[in-house]
Amino acid sequence: MADGSAHLGYLGVTRSLSGRLWRQRPADADLARRHQLEHGLSEPLARAIASRGVSDGQNFLNPTLKALFPDPSSFADMDRAAGILVDALEAKRRVVVFADYDVDGASSAALIVRWFRAMGLELSIYVPDRMTEGYGPSPAAFRRLKAEGAELVVTVDCGAAAHDALACAAGIGLPVVVIDHHLMRPGEVPGVAALVNPNRPDCTSGQGHLAAAGVAFVLLAALNREARKRGLGTEPDIRTWLDLAAMGAVCDVTRLTGFNRALAAQGLKVMSGWANPGLKALMEVAKASGPASVFHVGFLLGPRINAGGRIGRSDLGARLLSTDDPEEAAALAEELDALNASRKQVEAEVQEAAVRHIERESNQADAPCLVVADDGWHPGVIGIVAGRLRERYRKPVLVIGIDRAADVGKGSGRSQPGVNLGGAVQAAYEAGLLLSGGGHAMAAGLSVRPDTIPELRAFLCEQMAAEAEIAAAEDALEIDVLVTARGADRGLWTDFQRLAPFGPGNPEPAFAIADARIERPMALRGGHVRVTLTDGSGGKLKAVAWRAEDTEMGRRLLQEGGAVHVAGRLKPDDWQGREGVELEIEDIADPRVR
C-alpha cells in the first residue's frame, strides 16, 4: 500500500524522526500468491513470508527436527569428537567442559554435562573469569586443569582461535576437543584432538549460522549414535534438552532459518514445560509465567544468565542450567537476579556518561564512527552500552573502559549494517594501534593503551567513513503491513505469530499506521513514553516507545495532537485478562516532511 514511487519511500517517508527512509519489505508477488493458496494464508501474511525469502512454506510454518536435522557426519571432525568422548565415557576419564561465560556457552556446557550424566559420568565445568582471565582458553587455565587431574577438556563456544592455549595443551599432554561456531580464517585449524565448528574452512555441513548450543546439540546426536554402535545401553532422548539449544540460538542472535529455526521453535515448546530446574527458577525470580517465547529467552532469562559472566561469578549460568537440584537452582537464580539488577544500574550509569561524552565533548555525534572512553567503565557492560548507543545514533559505536592502574583500555563495539567494524579493528591492530583486537562485521573487541585512543578514533573514522556514508543513505525501516488503529487487533497479532520465532533471518513484522493522532501522552520512569493512537478508522491503539523520552521521537510523542505516521511491532496486552494488543513504536515520521 505504498503511496508512490520507490524513491519517495513508504507513505512518502524519506526521512523519519530517526533519520531513516521507510520502505515496504520487498516480496516476490508470485511466491506470495503461492504461499497464500497452498497454506490458506491471508494476503498480508503470505506476502510477509515471501518477503523473508521463504520458498518452502511448509517447513517454515511447521519446522521439525525430522525434516531439517543435518547429518552429524557432515560436520568436519564430528565423528572423531564423538569417538573420543565415548572413549572417555567408557574409560571413566576425568573430563572438564571449558565454557564461555555467556548464555550460549552455559547452554552448550549444560547440554554436554547432561548427556554424560544420563550415561553415568559426571563432568566438571570451568568458566574463565571475564575480569582476570578474559575470553576463552589460556595456557594458564590449561596448565591448571592438567595439574588438577583433567584427562580431557571439551571447549564450548570458544577455543577455535586459541592457538597459544591449544599449543600449550598439546605440549603438556592434555587432549582438547573444541566445539565452537566462531568464524575461522583459511588455514587456521589448530592441532587438537578434534575441532567441530561449522565455520571452519573445510566444514561442508552448511550450518554456519548455528550457535554453539546448536552445534553441541548435533554432537549429542552423534554421541547417541556412537554409544548405540558400541552397545552401551539406552541412550538419552536428547529432545528433552531442546530448551537449552533454543537458549543459545536466541541469545546469541543467530540466524533463525532452516535447522536453526526448528531448534528454536521446538526448543521453545519444550521450554514451556519448565522441566529444567534452572530455567523454572529464573522464571520465578523474574515473576513471569506462561509459555516460553523469544521475549522470555531474550529479555528475562538470558540477561540474568549473562549477569554472572558480566559482573559476578562466571560459572553461575552453566551451573544453573546443568543442575537437577531445585534448591540449588533457586539459590543460583536468586544470585543471578541480584547480579542482573546491579548490571542494569552499572549499565545505565555508563550509558548516561557515554551520551554526555558524545554530545558535549570532542567526539561529536555526526562522526562516521563514535569512539567513547572513560576511566572505570565496567568491561562487563560496555558491549551492551555500545549496542544501545548504536541503536540511538544509528552508526558504529566503540565503548572503552580504561583501567589506569594497568594502563589499558578494553573496548567493545557494535556496528551498523553495511559497515565492517571488525575489519576496521583488524586494520587498526595491523597498524600497531591496538594491543589486541578482532571481531566480525557487526561486533568487535579490543585492548588499547589509553594514550592511543585519540589516534585510534581518527583511524577508525577514516577507515569507516565511506562505508558509513553509504550505510546512512541506505538506512531504512522495512514495513510489512499498513494497518489502521482499529485493524491492529489481537486477531492480526495472532495471525502473524505463525511467523514466530523471530530473529535474524526472520525479523519481527513491522506495522505502520498513517496519519495517526497522539492522545494522552505520558512519560514513564526509565525514559519510556506511552501514548494512545487514533486515526480515521475510529479505533484506539495503546502504544509505547522504550527509552525514547530524550530523543526527537520521544519529544514529538509527548506533544499531544497533530498527525504522524507511526511504525512499530504489535505485542500482546494481557493485563487483567483483556487479551488486547499494544504497539511498540520503532519510529515516527511527520507527513509534511518528504
Side-chain angles (χ1 to χ4, degrees), residues 252-266:
D252 230 46
V253 200
T254 58
R255 189 171 179 82
L256 298 184
T257 59
F259 170 57
N260 204 36
R261 176 173 168 81
L263 280 180
Q266 299 303 325

Side-chain angles (χ1 to χ4, degrees), residues 13 15-20 355 359 365 391-394 518 521 527-529 531 545-561 563-566 585-593:
V13 177
R15 186 173 178 81
S16 68
L17 292 191
S18 71
R20 282 180 283 180
V355 169
E359 298 188 349
E391 292 173 4
R392 177 175 180 139
Y393 295 104
R394 309 203 61 77
I518 300 165
H528 315 309
V529 177
V531 300
W546 304 115
R547 297 183 296 275
E549 184 179 5
D550 64 345
T551 67
E552 187 175 357
M553 181 174 75
R555 288 187 284 272
R556 176 61 187 89
L557 288 171
L558 289 170
Q559 298 173 14
E560 192 164 5
V564 292
H565 298 328
V566 183
I585 297 174
E586 170 82 8
D587 204 0
I588 65 174
D590 187 335
R592 299 167 299 180
V593 177

Side-chain angles (χ1 to χ4, degrees), residues 11-371:
L11 294 174
V13 177
T14 57
R15 186 173 178 81
S16 68
L17 292 191
S18 71
R20 282 180 283 180
L21 167 78
W22 288 9
R23 64 185 176 211
Q24 187 173 38
R25 200 182 302 278
D28 181 276
D30 291 338
L31 182 58
R33 280 193 295 272
R34 178 159 68 81
H35 287 323
Q36 186 177 4
L37 293 173
E38 288 183 359
H39 305 292
L41 307 177
S42 66
E43 188 279 331
L45 182 60
R47 190 188 185 284
I49 294 176
S51 74
R52 283 150 178 78
V54 175
S55 57
D56 184 351
Q58 178 59 35
N59 277 329
F60 181 83
L61 293 168
N62 183 31
T64 64
L65 296 183
K66 182 178 181 180
L68 297 167
F69 206 104
D71 178 4
S73 298
S74 67
F75 290 73
D77 270 7
M78 181 69 83
D79 292 337
R80 181 186 300 176
I84 292 169
L85 292 172
V86 175
D87 284 346
L89 170 68
E90 289 191 285
K92 297 195 179 301
R93 294 193 181 99
R94 183 172 178 193
V95 181
V96 178
V97 180
F98 190 111
D100 188 18
Y101 33 61
D102 66 359
V103 175
D104 193 24
S107 300
S108 303
L111 282 167
I112 293 173
V113 166
R114 287 184 173 281
W115 188 88
F116 272 89
R117 182 181 296 151
M119 296 298 287
L121 184 64
E122 194 68 33
L123 306 191
S124 301
I125 297 175
Y126 184 92
V127 185
D129 182 88
R130 180 190 292 263
M131 299 292 289
T132 61
E133 297 180 79
Y135 168 79
S138 65
F142 279 155
R143 283 193 290 266
R144 173 182 170 183
L145 292 175
K146 175 71 172 179
E148 292 175 351
E151 297 174 272
L152 173 66
V153 172
V154 183
T155 72
V156 290
D157 195 28
C158 60
H163 297 280
D164 291 344
L166 295 174
C168 172
I172 60 177
L174 178 62
V176 179
V177 171
V178 175
I179 309 297
D180 204 349
H181 71 127
H182 292 99
L183 295 177
M184 299 175 64
R185 296 186 180 92
E188 201 180 46
V189 180
V192 292
L195 192 154
V196 182
N197 181 347
N199 285 307
R200 62 181 277 178
D202 58 341
C203 186
T204 61
S205 67
Q207 298 294 327
H209 55 293
L210 290 179
V215 182
F217 192 80
V218 177
L219 172 65
L220 300 196
L223 289 172
N224 270 356
R225 188 169 63 183
E226 183 67 21
R228 191 181 314 124
K229 187 189 304 180
R230 302 190 192 188
L232 297 184
T234 303
E235 64 270 9
D237 182 355
I238 65 175
R239 293 174 298 178
T240 61
W241 303 321
L242 274 166
D243 49 2
L244 297 172
M247 287 295 300
V250 173
C251 292
D252 230 46
V253 200
T254 58
R255 189 171 179 82
L256 298 184
T257 59
F259 170 57
N260 204 36
R261 176 173 168 81
L263 280 180
Q266 299 303 325
L268 289 171
K269 291 179 183 178
V270 171
M271 193 184 301
S272 296
W274 303 113
N276 183 292
L279 294 177
K280 181 180 180 181
L282 273 187
M283 282 288 282
E284 290 173 353
V285 298
K287 297 179 173 57
S289 60
S293 67
V294 168
F295 171 78
H296 289 105
V297 173
F299 294 93
L300 298 180
L301 303 176
R304 286 171 168 81
I305 294 171
N306 273 333
R310 292 192 184 281
I311 63 172
R313 289 164 47 206
S314 56
D315 66 344
L316 292 178
R319 288 173 54 200
L320 177 84
L321 296 181
S322 59
T323 186
D324 288 322
D325 182 349
E327 291 187 5
E328 181 185 20
L332 290 169
E334 290 284 355
E335 187 172 357
L336 285 168
D337 187 56
L339 287 170
N340 190 53
S342 299
R343 187 270 307 167
K344 287 181 180 179
Q345 181 177 349
V346 172
E347 176 194 327
E349 292 170 353
V350 173
Q351 182 172 333
E352 289 173 8
V355 169
R356 288 196 298 270
H357 277 275
I358 291 169
E359 298 188 349
R360 299 181 187 177
E361 298 180 15
S362 60
N363 193 10
Q364 297 298 319
D366 58 358
C369 170
L370 303 180
V371 180

Side-chain angles (χ1 to χ4, degrees), residues 374-387:
D374 207 345
D375 294 357
W377 285 351
H378 199 293
V381 302
I382 55 176
I384 302 176
V385 172

